[in-house]
Amino acid sequence: MTRIDDLPVRDELRGQSPYGAPERDAPVHLNVNENPFPLPEPLVSAMAERVREVAAGLNRYPDRNAWELRAGLAGHVTRAAGHPVDARQVWAANGSNEVIQQLFQAFGGPDRRALGFEPSYTMHALIARTTGTAWISCPRDEGFGIDLRAAREVLGEERPHLVLITSPNNPTGAAVPAETVVELYEAAQEARPCMVVVDEAYGEFSDRPSLVPLVEGRPHLVVTRTMSKAFGAAGLRVGYLVADPAVVDAVQLVRLPYHLSSVTQALGLVALEHSDTLLAYVEQLRTERRRVVGELTAIGYDVDASDASFVQFGPFADTHRAWQAVLDHGVLIRDNGVPGRLRASVGTPAENDAFLRAARAVRKERTAGAGTPR
Ligand SMILES: *Cc1c(COP(=O)(O)O)cnc(C)c1O
């Protein structure tokens, strides 16, 4: 049998495995931060209807510029961020992962460097690798915050072309204060003209306002957002960025023509028309998040502050064993490789009950068992 490494594959891809959360059969899945609520029936019907309309025109290529969808997204961000955003400042693609990949293609690449504050979303480093961009990891402090002094030093030494800031951060949970983003932006520009990308995939779940207004007067700042998390439409694959229109022009140099299908564009618009219903789930998830944090703390866990739709908790002497133990109780959560910590998405009330039961049982086994409780 031919294996990948038998092919003349690029050196940096040898021995690698594809990105993705481990898939396991389990009654409860809280591992990939999906919105747990299925789309409401009126929206499902509206989508089915729209697909019928679009289907007759599938002999034609879609709108290459996705103008209508971008205008819809601009309207949504204007309301969500309380700041006027124009369709020319918005670019959409198949998930914010594709948006980020396009940003790397336009501003990264061979002989260029990108910097991130880790632990964070591992796709950033992965996209760096697949675009031939060198990756620089700047470690976060003990409480998973960004240490500005250390950051300034690394920015001065490494002079990256791209800086990625995830806010709220995944997997650790907390949002980054706007002042910190501004200071990082300025420090990065001191070293060289540098694109600063704020990945705001969980922005809607935070008490802090969106960082979108910061793009005003900062042509090197980009905020990426997605319909996968708060909108509960991960299967739709629509992500977008907000930035100076020049950034949108730059990204268009690397996008594939007709990258967003007519069906995706149409369904994205229908979802936006129902944004009030969809975003109502956000409030419910935030309430559940507070409950999960409170109960985990009461059980005796140490829970990291979360502005997102998941919680990171610990400590665990053996993270993998703890992950397996929770799974043995029927709940699949995520080991993101952060020492001593695991991450669980906030689910429906019933899913969260199951998770909390599992977490309680694992805690008991650990304190009662032979293992050294930490
Ligand atoms: C989920 C996630 C994304 C992107 O998801 P898409 O489905 O590609 O929009 C981006 N950044 C972070 C931090 C995420 O957790």
Side-chain angles (χ1 to χ4, degrees), residues 71-72 75 93 117 139 181 227 280 309 324:
F117 303 94
V181 172
M227 295 187 82
S309 57
Q324 184 62 53

Side-chain angles (χ1 to χ4, degrees), residues 57-335:
L58 287 180
N59 57 313
R60 305 287 180 196
Y61 280 112
D63 173 9
R64 206 166 48 199
N65 292 310
W67 276 118
E68 244 191 297
L69 177 61
R70 285 163 61 198
L73 290 167
H76 164 65
V77 186
T78 298
R79 283 187 299 278
H83 179 87
V85 170
D86 186 276
R88 289 173 311 134
Q89 291 177 273
V90 175
W91 177 248
N94 295 282
S96 51
N97 281 336
E98 188 180 37
V99 172
I100 294 165
Q101 182 179 55
Q102 292 173 339
L103 288 167
F104 269 87
Q105 288 174 322
F107 299 105
D111 303 323
R112 292 195 160 208
R113 294 176 296 285
L115 179 144
F117 303 94
E118 294 185 314
S120 190
Y121 187 47
T122 48
M123 272 308 293
H124 296 160
L126 214 121
I127 293 171
R129 187 167 70 217
T130 55
T131 56
T133 315
W135 180 251
I136 304 151
S137 177
C138 183
R140 285 174 173 255
D141 64 24
E142 293 263 297
F144 304 114
I146 294 178
D147 176 348
L148 270 174
R149 259 190 39 196
R152 271 208 198 86
E153 209 164 293
V154 183
L155 287 170
E157 275 166 18
E158 302 281 355
R159 305 176 64 238
H161 302 76
L162 267 164
V163 169
L164 287 111
I165 305 169
T166 313
S167 178
N169 191 41
N170 178 11
T172 60
V176 182
E179 310 85 74
T180 305
V181 172
V182 170
E183 290 201 37
L184 289 171
Y185 180 86
E186 278 158 14
Q189 307 311 313
E190 265 168 45
R192 71 143 26 93
C194 167
M195 296 306 294
V196 175
V197 180
V198 176
D199 182 339
E200 212 175 51
Y202 301 95
E204 289 93 339
F205 296 98
S206 176
D207 290 334
R208 290 181 186 274
S210 165
L211 296 168
V212 159
L214 295 182
V215 303
E216 215 56 55
R218 291 186 186 83
H220 296 170
L221 189 72
V222 185
V223 178
T224 64
R225 295 167 62 98
T226 180
M227 295 187 82
S228 296
K229 309 286 160 65
F231 268 90
L236 186 57
R237 308 309 299 135
V238 173
Y240 56 103
L241 65 74
V242 183
D244 191 283
V247 175
V248 175
D249 293 343
V251 160
Q252 296 211 0
L253 301 175
V254 299
R255 61 109 178 89
L256 293 173
Y258 316 113
H259 67 298
L260 261 188
S261 86
S262 309
V263 176
T264 304
Q265 294 186 36
L267 295 191
L269 273 166
V270 184
L272 284 166
E273 285 159 17
H274 288 72
S275 52
D276 289 350
T277 329
L278 292 175
L279 294 175
Y281 293 134
V282 170
E283 216 27 68
Q284 217 175 323
L285 287 170
R286 282 157 47 100
T287 307
E288 278 296 299
R289 176 184 75 206
R290 283 189 282 272
R291 178 171 80 92
V292 170
V293 169
E295 294 202 23
L296 281 178
T297 309
I299 294 168
Y301 287 108
D302 175 15
V303 188
D304 298 306
S306 173
D307 295 296
S309 57
F310 53 82
V311 293
Q312 185 179 257
F313 67 109
F316 300 104
D318 184 337
T319 323
H320 184 75
R321 241 180 63 188
W323 174 82
Q324 184 62 53
V326 176
L327 181 59
D328 292 343
H329 287 277
V331 185
L332 178 62
I333 60 171
R334 189 82 174 266
D335 177 359

